[in-house]
Amino acid sequence: HEFDLKPAGLARILETAKRGGFLLPVVSSNVNFSAADDRDNTLEQAFRSGLVKPYHVIVKDGIRIGLFGLIGKEAAEVAPFSKPVTFGDPVETAKKMTSLLRNKERADLVVCLSHSGLDPENMSKSEDVRLARAVPDIDIIISGHTHTPLREPVVEGKTIIVQAWCYGLWVGILDVALRGGAPVLERYSIREIDDTIAGDPGIVA
């Protein structure tokens, strides 16, 4: 729902978060702006100023983790207020991002944050499964969009795909190890979010 308030509305949200000191790293790799229509100019400027980046690298204990974000084809079709913004092909974008992260950024682990999704009734035709097949250099896909309550990871080739339902009902906890430079799935668990977990004091107040 990032585009429900149109490109200018999303630009205002990003700018407000920055002014308030609340803007976490935001990645989006396949957003395209119109050269002929100025309705997306403020959002384009927000991207150009670095409020949204095509990728982000986190270094933990000497391990370089590269993350990039995609909006899938079905998700793009149900985002009518995004116009004149368009979205590049997820597979072609993913190929460029994985190459950049592996070769330029020397990422040990490549993670795709995907708003594409899964179809548990026909997993082989899911957008994120097809993405994993087409771009096997992605190590992990954190899937979204389809609100799938996935209790076990889907492994396509060497790519691990997870999705923890929707609306903050679950948190998925994925543990991987790097062995010989390749990620190995160690364990995956679901933590249900309920009243046994204390709320954040500031938000509760």
Side-chain angles (χ1 to χ4, degrees):
H1 293 275
E2 293 88 351
F3 288 94
D4 282 359
L5 300 178
K6 303 182 180 181
L10 177 54
R12 288 195 301 274
I13 290 169
L14 292 165
E15 291 286 356
T16 301
K18 180 187 176 186
R19 281 197 304 273
F22 300 114
L23 188 65
L24 296 169
V26 180
V27 289
S28 187
S29 310
N30 65 330
V31 171
N32 297 323
F33 297 101
S34 171
D37 192 325
D38 63 5
R39 288 177 295 163
D40 61 5
N41 284 4
T42 54
L43 184 60
E44 183 175 9
Q45 182 54 43
F47 272 60
R48 289 185 183 279
S49 69
L51 299 187
V52 180
K53 298 178 180 179
Y55 67 88
H56 182 65
V57 176
I58 299 170
V59 181
K60 289 279 189 183
D61 299 325
I63 297 172
R64 296 179 64 80
I65 305 165
L67 302 103
F68 69 99
L70 290 177
I71 294 178
K73 290 184 177 181
E74 182 183 295
E77 289 170 1
V78 294
F81 298 118
S82 63
K83 295 175 182 176
V85 168
T86 57
F87 304 98
D89 181 78
V91 168
E92 294 308 312
T93 302
K95 288 177 179 177
K96 292 175 185 175
M97 287 293 107
T98 53
S99 175
L100 186 154
L101 287 166
R102 295 283 186 199
N103 299 318
K104 179 184 175 184
E105 297 293 345
R106 302 297 176 193
D108 301 296
L109 199 63
V110 172
V111 179
C112 174
L113 307 177
S114 171
H115 202 89
S116 299
L118 298 166
D119 180 356
E121 294 184 5
N122 196 344
M123 198 63 79
S124 67
K125 292 190 176 180
S126 299
E127 276 194 62
D128 279 328
V129 172
R130 295 200 307 265
L131 177 65
R133 280 193 206 122
V135 193
D137 216 21
I138 301 172
D139 295 310
I140 298 169
I141 297 175
I142 309 295
S143 179
H145 179 58
T146 50
H147 300 182
T148 306
L150 197 64
R151 288 191 176 273
E152 298 292 336
V154 172
V155 179
E156 179 63 38
K158 71 174 187 65
T159 305
I160 302 162
I161 307 171
V162 291
Q163 187 178 150
W165 209 1
C166 59
Y167 307 135
L169 294 168
W170 289 353
V171 169
I173 303 160
L174 174 66
D175 293 327
V176 297
L178 280 177
R179 296 203 181 101
V184 176
L185 174 64
E186 295 236 302
R187 69 188 68 83
Y188 181 72
S189 61
I190 292 294
R191 180 76 189 267
E192 294 187 18
I193 305 302
D194 56 29
D195 289 341
T196 65
I197 301 169
D200 177 88
I203 293 174
V204 170

